[in-house]
Amino acid sequence: AQTVTQSQPEMSVQEAETVTLSCTYDTSESDYYLFWYKQPPSRQMILVIRQEAYKQQNATENRFSVNFQKAAKSFSLKISDSQLGDAAMYFCAYPLNSGGGADGLTFGKGTHLIIQP
Amino acid sequence: GAVVSQHPSRVICKSGTSVKIECRSLDFQATTMFWYRQFPKQSLMLMATSNEGSKATYEQGVEKDKFLINHASLTLSTLTVTSAHPEDSSFYICSAPPSGGYRGETQYFGPGTRLLVL
């Protein structure tokens, strides 16, 4: 079964600095997808970034980028130039294998990111 | 981007009553929707997959008779918590993939429904 591990319950960073959130996962699949979602205090889940495992290039979305290391099963999220609006819970997620079609997600326990002004 | 709504945003009910939560895709059709539960300070846990035109698929440990799911149309899925008890109090979130559903497709989430059972 696929599992997702986030080992940092909480991280703190100064505004405008860079922070990296870690995520490791376990799977026997060779082709898959990985996601980072953020959940601000409003509790609305928002997609941050998506990575396709067969792509060598790390996904990037503006200030957000990932360091995807397939062999190590590691999928860390780097946030550059941190802003106050980045304060949220960040969840790493992996699609559950239902055998076909769309899959629900299994999430890590999350990392609470605090931005210090 | 794709928009998913939920109603109500919060509900308080007495123990033993049933509560219905609606999940709607506003600008796309969703043949599949997902229901999650999130307890305070915890992660999201997938409860079930809602399929338009067929029965829902429940994750292990989720009681089918307690959490009734009906995918009435291509834009609406409902979750009914039957005979609710205080331990059912939680934050319920739905999600849907906007392109019909394929493995790895991005899902868009509703804003969630906070259920408090007294």
Side-chain angles (χ1 to χ4, degrees):
Chain A
Q2 297 90 350
T3 58
V4 178
T5 302
Q6 293 180 251
S7 58
Q8 305 155 315
E10 185 173 283
M11 292 284 284
S12 181
V13 64
Q14 290 287 131
E15 194 175 2
E17 297 295 308
T18 295
V19 64
T20 298
L21 309 183
S22 66
C23 172
T24 58
Y25 58 94
D26 187 26
T27 182
S28 58
E29 298 177 307
S30 57
D31 190 19
Y32 49 87
Y33 300 79
L34 291 158
F35 303 86
W36 278 100
Y37 280 89
K38 68 182 276 190
Q39 187 179 42
S42 67
R43 302 193 77 174
Q44 171 74 58
M45 295 289 285
I46 301 166
L47 176 70
V48 176
I49 206 161
R50 173 178 177 266
Q51 174 78 45
E52 297 171 78
Y54 69 89
K55 288 188 175 180
Q56 299 290 337
Q57 190 172 8
N58 290 323
T60 299
E61 287 290 343
N62 300 313
R63 297 182 294 107
F64 299 86
S65 62
V66 299
N67 181 6
F68 173 52
Q69 298 184 13
K70 191 174 183 180
K73 295 180 182 176
S74 172
F75 182 59
S76 59
L77 175 69
K78 186 172 84 170
I79 305 174
S80 304
D81 185 26
S82 298
Q83 300 176 0
L84 294 177
D86 295 334
M89 283 293 292
Y90 285 80
F91 293 99
C92 180
Y94 187 106
L96 288 164
N97 188 355
S98 67
D103 295 310
L105 298 171
T106 184
F107 290 87
K109 291 187 175 182
T111 296
H112 181 210
L113 179 63
I114 298 168
I115 310 295
Q116 309 246 2
Chain B
V3 180
V4 177
S5 71
Q6 278 185 245
H7 178 79
S9 58
R10 58 179 60 193
V11 57
I12 301 173
C13 69
K14 293 182 179 179
S15 186
T17 61
S18 294
V19 174
K20 181 185 287 187
I21 302 170
E22 294 184 346
C23 176
R24 293 182 185 272
S25 55
L26 298 186
D27 51 2
F28 65 96
Q29 293 183 329
T31 55
T32 302
M33 291 182 172
F34 301 97
W35 288 96
Y36 297 84
R37 182 165 56 182
Q38 185 179 30
F39 290 109
K41 298 189 184 300
Q42 293 189 23
S43 187
L44 282 75
M45 293 292 291
L46 179 66
M47 298 175 65
T49 301
S50 175
N51 303 297
E52 192 272 337
S54 64
K55 291 183 178 180
T57 304
Y58 292 82
E59 295 301 305
Q60 192 172 8
V62 177
E63 299 175 59
K64 300 178 183 181
D65 294 333
K66 181 163 193 62
F67 298 100
L68 300 180
I69 291 173
N70 181 28
H71 203 128
S73 73
L74 288 172
T75 59
L76 173 64
S77 174
T78 59
L79 170 68
T80 300
V81 183
T82 62
S83 186
H85 289 98
E87 57 266 30
D88 299 323
S89 298
S90 189
F91 192 64
Y92 292 87
I93 310 174
C94 69
S95 74
S99 300
Y102 61 87
R103 185 158 169 71
E105 183 177 4
T106 296
Q107 295 180 30
Y108 292 87
F109 285 80
T113 297
R114 185 184 300 277
L115 170 63
L116 177 60
V117 184
L118 301 176

